[in-house]
């Protein structure tokens, strides 16, 4: 029995086989255990000889099992060490970090510059009712400005006579929402996406604006001019800027002005603040009394200015990008070329 089990234990291939042998030999119904049970039938003399022998055999088998188990574990560990290794001296695989899109970056810069001047951020929906996008801004149903805007309308089921919603054509509806929500005095800017059915080198059907609105008891065009000058200096990082206020017309401001900045395009590179060219960057004016009324603000007591800047436009200027459409192509080579992606 001894030779049989010691041999089998030595040859056991794994821990499961070892456990089976343990049960067979020294388990409750194992061969050694059964022989021990026979001791009771023996004479005392016989028992004195056989008893210690069987006990010693049981101990010997148990320690052989334990020794073999330890040996198997060692072998398994050696095998893992041999096959599962890692060369910590290998160079790491480079992983490109994500980056902020230039439009988001510029939008955040603009927000930060106006935040320094006391403006907080307001928001509105991109799918807007035509009341907020037009009527409240003094653009009634048959006003030519509606046709000029190349508006995207949402679909209405046949027989549904409610006016369709629109994809907002500018951020100006946020003026109304902010006035209604906060009342006067108010100083907000509203960056966001806007939509017009237009597509060429300098127009995409989706683009970005930042709306500005400041209402108080005695705000004037002079405050508007100062704010915009401060903004342009900070944004383009130049000390000298020259702004040109061109008389213009928007239904929601009176008087209205479009603002150009002096620049030059010598050799295809843009310089801000010098040269003989003028680049339009925004529309602005004093908020029309009807617009204040739509925002539940009394025009007898309050007045202020508003402006709308094209974010994509000023991003193109700042980074010297000739084609607006490239911003929205998600072409990593282009983004990397301009330093916008890692
Ligand atoms: N909403 C105008 C546009 O999209 C810009 C503007 C905003 C003009 C505020 C005046 C005041 O062109």
């Amino acid at each position: 029995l001894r030779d049989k089990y010691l041999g089998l234990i030595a040859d056991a291939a794994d821990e499961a086989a070892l456990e089976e042998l343990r049960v067979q030999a020294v388990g409750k119904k194992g061969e050694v255990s059964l022989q021990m049970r026979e001791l009771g039938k023996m004479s005392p003399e016989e028992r004195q000889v056989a008893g210690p022998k069987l006990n010693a055999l049981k101990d010997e088998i148990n320690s052989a099992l334990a020794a073999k188990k330890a040996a198997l574990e060692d072998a398994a560990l050696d095998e893992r060490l041999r096959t599962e290794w890692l060369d910590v001296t290998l160079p790491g695989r480079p992983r490109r970090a994500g980056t902020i899109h230039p439009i988001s970056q510029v939008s955040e810069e603009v927000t930060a510059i106006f935040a320094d001047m006391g403006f907080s951020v307001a928001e509105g929906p991109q799918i807007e009712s035509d009341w907020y996008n037009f009527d409240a801004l003094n653009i009634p149903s048959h006003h030519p400005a509606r046709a000029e805007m190349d508006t995207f309308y949402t679909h209405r089921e046949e027989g549904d006579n409610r006016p369709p919603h629109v994809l907002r054509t500018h951020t100006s509806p946020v003026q109304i929402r902010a006035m209604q929500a906060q009342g006067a005095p108010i100083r907000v800017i509203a960056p966001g996406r806007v939509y017009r059915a237009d597509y060429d080198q300098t127009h995409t059907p989706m683009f970005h604006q930042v709306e500005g609105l400041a209402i108080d008891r005695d705000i004037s065009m002079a405050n508007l001019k100062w704010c915009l000058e401060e903004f342009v200096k900070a944004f383009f990082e130049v000390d000298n800027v020259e702004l040109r206020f061109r008389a213009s017309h928007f239904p929601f401001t009176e008087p209205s002005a479009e603002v150009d900045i002096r620049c030059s395009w010598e050799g295809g590179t843009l310089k801000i603040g010098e040269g003989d060219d003028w680049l339009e960057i925004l529309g602005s004016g004093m908020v029309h009394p009807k617009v204040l009324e739509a925002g539940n603000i009394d025009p007898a007591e309050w007045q202020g200015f508003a402006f709308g800047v094209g974010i994509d436009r000023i991003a193109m200027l700042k980074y010297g990008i000739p084609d607006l459409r490239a911003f929205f192509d998600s072409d990593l080579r282009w983004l990397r070329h301009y330093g916008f992606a890692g």
Side-chain angles (χ1 to χ4, degrees):
L1 214 55
R2 180 180 174 276
D3 289 345
K4 170 183 167 192
Y5 278 110
L6 292 184
L8 284 170
I9 289 168
D11 291 343
D14 51 34
E15 288 190 42
L18 215 51
E19 173 61 12
E20 228 166 83
L21 287 171
R22 190 192 64 78
V23 174
Q24 265 179 47
V26 296
K28 270 210 177 92
K29 290 181 181 155
E31 277 192 276
V32 179
S33 309
L34 289 177
Q35 288 206 8
M36 285 178 129
R37 229 171 282 170
E38 299 293 312
L39 289 174
K41 297 177 190 157
M42 296 178 184
S43 66
E45 293 78 22
E46 283 175 320
R47 203 181 306 146
Q48 243 173 23
V49 182
K53 265 191 176 171
L54 278 172
N55 270 328
L57 175 59
K58 189 179 172 187
D59 287 346
E60 198 176 356
I61 289 175
N62 273 329
S63 48
L65 283 166
K68 179 68 181 180
K69 189 171 181 226
L72 282 173
E73 280 168 0
D74 275 357
L77 183 60
D78 283 347
E79 175 67 7
R80 281 188 59 194
L81 288 172
R82 200 170 56 74
T83 54
E84 298 174 19
W85 56 276
L86 199 65
D87 184 352
V88 294
T89 66
L90 280 176
R93 283 185 208 118
R95 206 192 269 203
R96 289 187 193 274
T99 51
I100 312 270
H101 190 274
I103 297 295
S104 306
Q105 204 169 297
V106 165
S107 180
E108 280 167 26
E109 277 172 41
V110 174
T111 307
I113 293 168
F114 281 104
D116 280 347
M117 293 191 254
F119 287 74
S120 58
V121 173
E123 284 183 344
Q126 294 176 36
I127 300 172
E128 188 56 282
S129 76
D130 82 334
W131 188 83
Y132 278 106
N133 195 79
F134 294 122
D135 299 76
L137 292 162
N138 195 30
I139 314 173
S141 289
H142 298 291
H143 195 284
R146 289 208 183 192
E148 281 162 26
M149 287 260 203
D150 303 310
T151 311
F152 287 112
Y153 291 92
T154 60
H155 176 71
R156 284 262 189 242
E157 294 301 327
E158 217 171 302
D160 184 341
N161 293 321
R162 290 173 301 168
H165 279 58
V166 302
L167 297 187
R168 66 179 179 195
T169 57
H170 49 184
T171 42
S172 299
V174 187
Q175 288 186 33
I176 308 293
R177 290 182 176 276
M179 285 191 269
Q180 288 178 341
Q182 299 177 31
I186 187 172
R187 260 190 273 181
V188 290
I189 52 163
R193 295 186 164 181
V194 300
Y195 302 84
R196 291 180 204 175
D198 208 351
Y199 189 70
D200 61 33
Q201 202 178 340
T202 52
H203 296 89
T204 50
M206 182 281 296
F207 59 106
H208 302 80
Q209 291 185 331
V210 183
E211 195 79 7
L213 175 71
I215 306 284
D216 212 320
R217 291 179 200 277
D218 51 9
I219 284 192
S220 72
M221 269 318 250
N223 301 122
L224 169 67
K225 203 172 172 211
W226 180 84
C227 260
L228 294 178
E229 270 168 9
E230 287 302 302
F231 162 67
V232 170
K233 279 190 223 167
F235 181 77
F236 290 107
E237 297 164 32
V238 288
D239 295 327
N240 293 316
V241 289
E242 203 181 326
L243 297 188
R244 181 171 75 175
F245 282 65
R246 254 183 309 110
S248 181
H249 176 77
F250 299 103
F252 32 93
T253 46
E254 181 58 39
S256 302
E258 280 175 294
V259 177
D260 308 331
I261 45 179
R262 185 184 282 284
C263 66
S264 78
W265 280 104
E266 262 159 55
T269 49
L270 177 77
K271 286 214 180 85
I272 303 284
E274 54 185 75
D276 299 324
D277 283 329
W278 292 96
L279 238 151
E280 185 195 321
I281 56 162
L282 61 90
S284 64
M286 296 301 290
V287 179
H288 195 288
K290 283 192 175 169
V291 173
L292 292 172
E293 274 167 12
N296 299 328
I297 288 178
D298 181 2
E301 201 179 336
W302 305 97
Q303 61 182 35
F305 64 73
F307 59 84
V309 187
I311 296 187
D312 321 77
R313 177 70 65 94
I314 60 173
M316 289 170 78
L317 294 178
K318 182 161 180 172
Y319 297 109
I321 291 158
D323 192 331
L324 171 65
R325 294 170 294 193
F327 276 132
F328 310 117
D329 285 343
S330 303
D331 183 340
L332 276 174
R333 291 165 308 174
W334 181 86
L335 287 162
R336 279 185 201 124
H337 173 76
Y338 282 97
F340 297 133

